[in-house]
PDB file of all heavy atoms in Angstrom:
ATOM      1  N   ASP A  39      81.075  19.198   7.340  1.00 80.00           N
ATOM      2  CA  ASP A  39      79.865  19.942   7.000  1.00 80.00           C
ATOM      3  C   ASP A  39      79.134  19.288   5.818  1.00 80.00           C
ATOM      4  O   ASP A  39      79.766  18.874   4.852  1.00 80.00           O
ATOM      5  CB  ASP A  39      80.350  21.363   6.620  1.00 80.00           C
ATOM      6  CG  ASP A  39      79.212  22.316   6.369  1.00 80.00           C
ATOM      7  OD1 ASP A  39      78.068  21.870   6.238  1.00 80.00           O
ATOM      8  OD2 ASP A  39      79.497  23.532   6.317  1.00 80.00           O
ATOM      9  N   THR A  40      77.797  19.214   5.891  1.00 76.00           N
ATOM     10  CA  THR A  40      77.037  18.566   4.807  1.00 76.00           C
ATOM     11  C   THR A  40      76.554  19.565   3.744  1.00 76.00           C
ATOM     12  O   THR A  40      75.824  19.201   2.827  1.00 76.00           O
ATOM     13  CB  THR A  40      75.789  17.842   5.372  1.00 76.00           C
ATOM     14  OG1 THR A  40      74.966  18.818   6.012  1.00 76.00           O
ATOM     15  CG2 THR A  40      76.155  16.753   6.349  1.00 76.00           C
ATOM     16  N   GLY A  41      76.970  20.826   3.870  1.00 80.00           N
ATOM     17  CA  GLY A  41      76.433  21.885   3.005  1.00 80.00           C
ATOM     18  C   GLY A  41      76.895  21.844   1.558  1.00 80.00           C
ATOM     19  O   GLY A  41      77.744  21.051   1.160  1.00 80.00           O
ATOM     20  N   LYS A  42      76.297  22.750   0.771  1.00 82.00           N
ATOM     21  CA  LYS A  42      76.608  22.854  -0.667  1.00 82.00           C
ATOM     22  C   LYS A  42      77.765  23.817  -0.893  1.00 82.00           C
ATOM     23  O   LYS A  42      78.048  24.664  -0.051  1.00 82.00           O
ATOM     24  CB  LYS A  42      75.391  23.388  -1.419  1.00 82.00           C
ATOM     25  CG  LYS A  42      74.173  22.484  -1.326  1.00 82.00           C
ATOM     26  CD  LYS A  42      73.079  22.956  -2.273  1.00 82.00           C
ATOM     27  CE  LYS A  42      71.981  21.936  -2.419  1.00 82.00           C
ATOM     28  NZ  LYS A  42      71.024  21.881  -1.337  1.00 82.00           N
ATOM     29  N   VAL A  43      78.409  23.715  -2.043  1.00 81.00           N
ATOM     30  CA  VAL A  43      79.379  24.738  -2.432  1.00 81.00           C
ATOM     31  C   VAL A  43      78.770  25.524  -3.583  1.00 81.00           C
ATOM     32  O   VAL A  43      77.805  25.085  -4.200  1.00 81.00           O
ATOM     33  CB  VAL A  43      80.752  24.151  -2.865  1.00 81.00           C
ATOM     34  CG1 VAL A  43      81.557  23.723  -1.675  1.00 81.00           C
ATOM     35  CG2 VAL A  43      80.610  23.018  -3.856  1.00 81.00           C
ATOM     36  N   ASN A  44      79.375  26.667  -3.895  1.00 74.00           N
ATOM     37  CA  ASN A  44      78.802  27.529  -4.918  1.00 74.00           C
ATOM     38  C   ASN A  44      79.263  27.151  -6.320  1.00 74.00           C
ATOM     39  O   ASN A  44      79.731  27.981  -7.064  1.00 74.00           O
ATOM     40  CB  ASN A  44      79.204  28.976  -4.622  1.00 74.00           C
ATOM     41  CG  ASN A  44      77.975  29.814  -4.392  1.00 74.00           C
ATOM     42  OD1 ASN A  44      76.876  29.370  -4.750  1.00 74.00           O
ATOM     43  ND2 ASN A  44      78.154  30.981  -3.812  1.00 74.00           N
ATOM     44  N   SER A  45      79.173  25.875  -6.664  1.00 78.00           N
ATOM     45  CA  SER A  45      79.651  25.480  -7.994  1.00 78.00           C
ATOM     46  C   SER A  45      78.884  24.261  -8.464  1.00 78.00           C
ATOM     47  O   SER A  45      78.225  23.576  -7.690  1.00 78.00           O
ATOM     48  CB  SER A  45      81.138  25.155  -7.923  1.00 78.00           C
ATOM     49  OG  SER A  45      81.351  24.117  -6.992  1.00 78.00           O
ATOM     50  N   GLN A  46      79.023  23.995  -9.763  1.00 83.00           N
ATOM     51  CA  GLN A  46      78.402  22.815 -10.371  1.00 83.00           C
ATOM     52  C   GLN A  46      79.503  21.982 -10.998  1.00 83.00           C
ATOM     53  O   GLN A  46      80.528  22.508 -11.392  1.00 83.00           O
ATOM     54  CB  GLN A  46      77.462  23.257 -11.498  1.00 83.00           C
ATOM     55  CG  GLN A  46      76.232  23.966 -10.999  1.00 83.00           C
ATOM     56  CD  GLN A  46      75.258  24.243 -12.139  1.00 83.00           C
ATOM     57  OE1 GLN A  46      75.616  24.195 -13.299  1.00 83.00           O
ATOM     58  NE2 GLN A  46      74.016  24.521 -11.787  1.00 83.00           N
ATOM     59  N   ASN A  47      79.256  20.683 -11.122  1.00 86.00           N
ATOM     60  CA  ASN A  47      80.232  19.874 -11.855  1.00 86.00           C
ATOM     61  C   ASN A  47      79.843  19.855 -13.333  1.00 86.00           C
ATOM     62  O   ASN A  47      78.880  20.484 -13.744  1.00 86.00           O
ATOM     63  CB  ASN A  47      80.377  18.465 -11.245  1.00 86.00           C
ATOM     64  CG  ASN A  47      79.108  17.638 -11.362  1.00 86.00           C
ATOM     65  OD1 ASN A  47      78.211  17.954 -12.136  1.00 86.00           O
ATOM     66  ND2 ASN A  47      79.040  16.569 -10.594  1.00 86.00           N
ATOM     67  N   LYS A  48      80.606  19.101 -14.142  1.00 83.00           N
ATOM     68  CA  LYS A  48      80.410  19.086 -15.602  1.00 83.00           C
ATOM     69  C   LYS A  48      79.012  18.621 -15.994  1.00 83.00           C
ATOM     70  O   LYS A  48      78.488  19.013 -17.023  1.00 83.00           O
ATOM     71  CB  LYS A  48      81.493  18.182 -16.215  1.00 83.00           C
ATOM     72  CG  LYS A  48      81.734  18.390 -17.690  1.00 83.00           C
ATOM     73  CD  LYS A  48      82.533  19.653 -17.944  1.00 83.00           C
ATOM     74  CE  LYS A  48      82.777  20.048 -19.388  1.00 83.00           C
ATOM     75  NZ  LYS A  48      82.049  19.548 -20.472  1.00 83.00           N
ATOM     76  N   SER A  49      78.381  17.759 -15.151  1.00 83.00           N
ATOM     77  CA  SER A  49      77.032  17.281 -15.450  1.00 83.00           C
ATOM     78  C   SER A  49      75.956  18.279 -15.033  1.00 83.00           C
ATOM     79  O   SER A  49      74.774  18.015 -15.177  1.00 83.00           O
ATOM     80  CB  SER A  49      76.766  15.953 -14.738  1.00 83.00           C
ATOM     81  OG  SER A  49      77.720  15.001 -15.068  1.00 83.00           O
ATOM     82  N   GLY A  50      76.381  19.411 -14.432  1.00 81.00           N
ATOM     83  CA  GLY A  50      75.417  20.420 -14.005  1.00 81.00           C
ATOM     84  C   GLY A  50      74.836  20.179 -12.626  1.00 81.00           C
ATOM     85  O   GLY A  50      73.904  20.855 -12.216  1.00 81.00           O
ATOM     86  N   ASP A  51      75.389  19.204 -11.890  1.00 82.00           N
ATOM     87  CA  ASP A  51      74.894  18.956 -10.533  1.00 82.00           C
ATOM     88  C   ASP A  51      75.507  19.983  -9.579  1.00 82.00           C
ATOM     89  O   ASP A  51      76.686  20.310  -9.693  1.00 82.00           O
ATOM     90  CB  ASP A  51      75.346  17.574 -10.011  1.00 82.00           C
ATOM     91  CG  ASP A  51      74.920  16.436 -10.911  1.00 82.00           C
ATOM     92  OD1 ASP A  51      73.853  16.548 -11.517  1.00 82.00           O
ATOM     93  OD2 ASP A  51      75.677  15.441 -10.983  1.00 82.00           O
ATOM     94  N   VAL A  52      74.693  20.438  -8.637  1.00 80.00           N
ATOM     95  CA  VAL A  52      75.225  21.314  -7.590  1.00 80.00           C
ATOM     96  C   VAL A  52      76.129  20.450  -6.713  1.00 80.00           C
ATOM     97  O   VAL A  52      75.730  19.375  -6.269  1.00 80.00           O
ATOM     98  CB  VAL A  52      74.078  21.908  -6.757  1.00 80.00           C
ATOM     99  CG1 VAL A  52      74.619  22.730  -5.595  1.00 80.00           C
ATOM    100  CG2 VAL A  52      73.180  22.752  -7.634  1.00 80.00           C
ATOM    101  N   GLN A  53      77.356  20.892  -6.491  1.00 83.00           N
ATOM    102  CA  GLN A  53      78.258  20.079  -5.670  1.00 83.00           C
ATOM    103  C   GLN A  53      78.037  20.365  -4.192  1.00 83.00           C
ATOM    104  O   GLN A  53      77.741  21.492  -3.804  1.00 83.00           O
ATOM    105  CB  GLN A  53      79.710  20.414  -6.007  1.00 83.00           C
ATOM    106  CG  GLN A  53      80.150  19.927  -7.373  1.00 83.00           C
ATOM    107  CD  GLN A  53      81.557  20.392  -7.703  1.00 83.00           C
ATOM    108  OE1 GLN A  53      81.852  21.583  -7.625  1.00 83.00           O
ATOM    109  NE2 GLN A  53      82.415  19.468  -8.058  1.00 83.00           N
ATOM    110  N   VAL A  54      78.168  19.327  -3.372  1.00 85.00           N
ATOM    111  CA  VAL A  54      78.213  19.567  -1.936  1.00 85.00           C
ATOM    112  C   VAL A  54      79.688  19.520  -1.539  1.00 85.00           C
ATOM    113  O   VAL A  54      80.520  18.987  -2.278  1.00 85.00           O
ATOM    114  CB  VAL A  54      77.362  18.554  -1.121  1.00 85.00           C
ATOM    115  CG1 VAL A  54      75.896  18.635  -1.504  1.00 85.00           C
ATOM    116  CG2 VAL A  54      77.861  17.132  -1.257  1.00 85.00           C
TER     117      VAL A  54
END
Side-chain angles (χ1 to χ4, degrees):
D39 186 347
T40 60
K42 298 189 168 79
V43 283
N44 241 344
S45 59
Q46 290 186 343
N47 65 16
K48 199 76 184 17
S49 304
D51 303 327
V52 175
Q53 289 175 307
V54 299

